[in-house]
Amino acid sequence: DVQLVESGGGSVETGGSLRLSCTASGYTHVYTRYTLAWFRQRPLHEREGVASITSDGIISYADSVQGRFSISLDNDKSTLFLQMNNLKPEDTAMYYCAASIIVLQPASRLRQRPYNHWGQGTQVTVS
């Protein structure tokens, strides 16, 4: 069974940094074609895509985080990361790791529906 487990959330001051991690080996070591992503859900907002990476290494970012956040996989492709720099109060949200067993089209990579598996989330609070 595929499990995605996030960690690394916490509280940080405006301008600070956090790095989120998501164990993904149950996915990346089983499927050769996939899309992994980070989503977030802010209070009173819909869940939104933040960043995605495909098995081909193609990366997409939401405009709101472009230049501040960076998504990556470790060399073993076991762990998905989201490096978050210059954090703002509006980045406060529950952050989720998600996976799809196909390489999604660019227009779908930051949309919820195509993703088959989700982690439980990790809270990020910026004050």
Side-chain angles (χ1 to χ4, degrees):
D1 188 28
V2 175
Q3 284 191 321
L4 300 171
V5 180
E6 303 95 336
S7 62
S11 297
V12 65
E13 292 185 350
T14 298
S17 298
L18 282 174
R19 188 175 78 160
L20 305 184
S21 301
C22 173
T23 56
S25 57
Y27 227 84
T28 58
H29 291 182
V30 174
Y31 302 103
T32 57
R33 304 280 288 167
Y34 53 81
T35 305
L36 303 175
W38 288 98
F39 283 76
R40 68 185 181 186
Q41 188 159 16
R42 297 178 286 171
L44 305 178
H45 284 73
E46 296 285 324
R47 192 174 295 189
E48 60 181 348
V50 173
S52 68
I53 185 168
T54 70
S55 48
D56 301 321
I58 299 172
I59 290 173
S60 303
Y61 293 105
D63 290 344
S64 59
V65 305
Q66 181 78 45
R68 300 188 299 123
F69 289 13
S70 178
I71 188 171
S72 63
L73 278 167
D74 65 358
N75 289 338
D76 188 41
K77 297 187 177 179
S78 296
T79 305
L80 179 70
F81 298 105
L82 183 69
Q83 177 67 42
M84 305 186 295
N85 298 325
N86 191 22
L87 282 160
K88 304 175 181 181
E90 52 264 43
D91 295 318
T92 294
M94 185 71 78
Y95 284 74
Y96 299 90
C97 175
S100 169
I101 60 170
I102 62 173
V103 175
L104 297 173
Q105 293 298 312
S108 298
R109 288 173 193 160
L110 296 182
R111 295 181 179 175
Q112 293 187 64
R113 182 170 288 188
Y115 289 89
N116 311 99
H117 294 94
W118 293 82
Q120 294 300 305
T122 185
Q123 177 68 36
V124 171
T125 302
V126 185
S127 59

